[in-house]
Amino acid sequence: SGDDKKNIISEFKLDPEAELRFEIETKNEKVLLTLKSGSAEVFGTELVKGKTYEFTSGAKIAVFTWQGCIVELKGKTDVSYVAKETPMVLYMNCHAGLDQMRLNAEKNNTKGPMCMVVGPNDVGKSTVCRILLNYAVRMGRRPLYVDVDLGQGQISVPGTIGSILVERPALIDEGFPQEAPLVYHDGHKSPGDNPALYKKLLTQLGSTIKDRLEINKKTKMSGCIINTCGWIKGVGYKFILHTMEAFNVNVILVLDQERLYNELVRDSPRFVKVVFLPKSGGVVERSKGARGEYRDQRIREYFYGTPKNALYPHSFEVKFSDVKIFKIGAPALPDSCLPLGMKARDHLTKLVLITPNPGLLHHLLSVSFSEKDDDDMILSHCAGFICVTNVDVERQQLTVLSPQPKPLPNNLLLLSELQFMDSH
Ligand code: ADP
């Protein structure tokens, strides 16, 4: 019976440099992981011996050991096996190379490595970033994590790009703590939906980060790890080149794609080190549906937290007259109608004031930090996000879900294409 399955306990003895991989697919399933003896890590975060870690549906995990260990799984996994072949030694070598650059940077008071991880979807880019950040922080470094993947981003909500300072290893079952993230609103699931906007935001995030690195010496020498999206052909490749420029990237790790590796060797300046890395056999491919679910889950976590770390958002009403809601991108005008000096593609990053209407229902809105509602508003970062849960045209007010209580920190809001159905 189901109850029996929940109590299944399996023990795994891992040789040095092996990893236990497991996946939980079944909804509402819980699996508990405990390190019994030896030492082990999950994507670069060390497990504490005897402590129990909880994973839920959707988890795809590898428990890797350098020295060998015994671990126990309790509960029903859909997949679980031990793999002896992993690229972890190569990833560790990358970390060692980056750390050598940090030591040099410290000596010469220059910037540490600006390292970008690229490759197609589902090759473990985010996982490699996490491993490298964890190894860096375990050695006392304080790197920045930059994520420019709009659709599957790990900072704030989908439809944004941003950065966090990493001061502690990622939590095994929750990822990196997100204190004071630096977030820019794009509002789309894919950078191709508004390339002009996305490039502008990359440039803006790049220059803000440049300033931040100058302020903090420890972070400056620690450098950045930059995660990118899996779109690597055509326009996607242009975005990669733009990211390289915007962040002054000097190390590129290319996962799995030799063709992309060769293109980047050809197209990057001499001082950029381009390194090819194989993907791990454990990386699991995700369907389009699974990507959509991941986005929903990210937004849900933004408002409600995780089972272990619940958040309690607020719901309140906002008068139409108390806010200004903008959408980014005006309809294109023929060249002959454009004001002098304006380029035809400028309309893509223009702000358009919208009248609140039932079409806003379920949409995310970012709350801008901007003081003025001119076109530069898109270049200012966000205070946070709210979700429209009701539009009352008669009473001229919105109901919103917000992480913070009333009032909103600013009355300037930007509309996102992303939606969230609040089922609480
Ligand atoms: P990408 O960023 O390239 O899209 P991810 O790093 O998000 O890929 O990896 C995809 C999925 O595979 C994630 O759910 C991750 O937890 C899982 N994964 C990565 N490496 C391993 C591994 N060695 N064993 C098991 N699962 C893994």
Side-chain angles (χ1 to χ4, degrees):
S1 76
D3 271 0
D4 289 342
K5 280 185 187 156
K6 281 211 172 71
N7 294 322
I8 291 178
I9 297 181
S10 355
E11 205 171 75
F12 300 86
K13 185 174 181 303
L14 306 185
D15 292 333
E17 292 181 26
E19 72 185 20
L20 165 68
R21 296 170 183 162
F22 65 91
E23 291 174 42
I24 313 167
E25 302 258 332
T26 321
K27 281 242 152 62
N28 301 321
E29 202 62 60
K30 247 196 310 192
V31 172
L32 305 176
L33 164 73
T34 315
L35 174 66
K36 293 294 200 182
S37 69
S39 63
E41 55 187 46
V42 170
F43 306 136
T45 306
E46 284 176 297
L47 293 176
V48 176
K49 203 180 294 174
K51 187 171 166 184
T52 298
Y53 300 91
E54 183 180 312
F55 298 92
T56 50
S57 142
K60 303 171 199 332
I61 303 296
V63 184
F64 177 83
T65 177
W66 290 105
Q67 281 103 22
C69 69
I70 296 174
V71 290
E72 179 193 277
L73 287 183
K74 189 170 172 189
K76 189 180 156 288
T77 54
D78 293 83
V79 180
S80 66
Y81 64 97
V82 174
K84 297 203 164 156
E85 296 286 322
T86 82
M88 285 300 282
V89 172
L90 297 173
Y91 296 172
M92 178 53 107
N93 287 342
C94 268
H95 160 71
L98 293 174
D99 217 65
Q100 191 55 52
M101 293 173 77
R102 293 186 186 111
L103 288 174
N104 292 340
E106 187 171 33
K107 236 185 273 158
N108 307 319
N109 191 23
T110 52
K111 237 177 1 186
M114 301 296 281
C115 171
M116 171 168 85
V117 180
V118 299
N121 283 327
D122 301 326
V123 289
K125 292 182 298 301
S126 316
T127 306
V128 167
C129 289
R130 179 164 166 173
I131 291 169
L132 294 174
L133 289 162
N134 277 333
Y135 285 171
V137 84
R138 277 167 62 182
M139 296 194 63
R141 315 290 181 218
R142 295 291 176 267
L144 290 175
Y145 181 34
V146 174
D147 196 348
V148 300
D149 187 356
L150 286 183
Q152 306 281 296
Q154 292 162 318
I155 293 162
S156 191
V157 293
T160 64
I161 62 173
S163 168
I164 47 172
L165 172 63
V166 179
E167 300 187 275
R168 261 158 290 155
L171 300 170
I172 301 270
D173 31 16
E174 294 188 28
F176 291 106
Q178 301 216 352
E179 285 139 32
L182 172 67
V183 179
Y184 290 94
H185 170 113
D186 182 284
H188 303 90
K189 286 177 212 157
S190 162
D193 295 342
N194 189 338
L197 171 63
Y198 182 65
K199 282 190 179 171
K200 254 192 167 171
L201 296 179
L202 285 176
T203 305
Q204 180 65 18
L205 178 59
S207 87
T208 309
I209 284 199
K210 210 177 284 171
D211 295 344
R212 293 206 169 179
L213 288 177
E214 288 308 323
I215 300 170
N216 186 327
K217 196 156 175 239
K218 196 151 190 186
T219 298
K220 181 179 171 185
M221 62 81 91
S222 300
C224 278
I225 305 285
I226 305 160
N227 195 11
T228 59
C229 76
W231 187 6
I232 55 167
K233 289 195 184 134
V235 184
Y237 184 66
K238 297 237 167 74
F239 291 141
I240 292 179
L241 295 181
H242 193 87
T243 309
M244 171 163 85
E245 226 179 271
F247 295 91
N248 290 320
V249 164
N250 55 6
V251 179
I252 307 178
L253 306 180
V254 187
L255 276 164
D256 194 52
Q257 276 260 331
E258 278 185 65
R259 180 181 142 173
L260 178 63
Y261 166 80
N262 285 315
E263 284 171 336
L264 285 167
V265 169
R266 182 193 67 202
D267 295 337
S268 45
R270 272 265 210 54
F271 65 86
V272 179
K273 283 196 197 73
V274 189
V275 180
F276 179 83
L277 287 174
K279 75 166 182 183
S280 164
V283 178
V284 186
E285 251 181 62
R286 284 169 295 188
S287 62
K288 232 179 161 182
R291 287 173 187 284
E293 265 169 42
Y294 177 83
R295 278 195 287 272
D296 283 347
Q297 188 194 329
R298 286 290 317 154
I299 302 174
R300 192 168 308 113
E301 281 175 11
Y302 177 81
F303 290 109
Y304 290 100
T306 55
K308 254 180 70 185
N309 212 339
L311 298 173
Y312 302 93
H314 303 260
S315 177
F316 52 84
E317 284 168 345
V318 176
K319 286 203 201 101
F320 286 179
S321 57
D322 284 346
V323 287
K324 283 182 172 175
I325 304 174
F326 297 90
K327 118 184 161 44
I328 304 173
L333 290 173
D335 274 340
S336 57
C337 302
L338 291 175
L340 205 62
M342 186 172 162
K343 281 187 248 116
R345 55 163 218 275
D346 285 350
H347 71 273
L348 288 168
T349 53
K350 277 246 158 307
L351 287 180
V352 182
L353 184 65
I354 55 176
T355 314
N357 63 75
L360 294 179
L361 191 61
H362 304 311
H363 276 273
L364 294 184
L365 303 170
S366 70
V367 182
S368 178
F369 264 127
S370 180
E371 285 167 9
K372 283 189 293 181
D373 58 355
D374 54 16
D375 285 329
D376 282 346
M377 188 177 142
I378 59 165
L379 298 182
S380 81
H381 56 283
C382 318
F385 288 80
I386 56 177
C387 179
V388 179
T389 54
N390 190 38
V391 183
D392 189 335
V393 177
E394 214 158 283
R395 292 169 56 223
Q396 295 276 296
Q397 57 189 19
L398 307 168
T399 311
V400 300
L401 184 70
S402 162
Q404 299 294 330
K406 219 171 161 168
L408 294 174
N410 195 354
N411 69 336
L412 302 179
L413 311 175
L414 287 173
L415 175 63
S416 173
E417 158 194 287
L418 281 112
Q419 291 179 294
F420 172 62
M421 306 281 179
D422 186 14
S423 54
H424 272 72

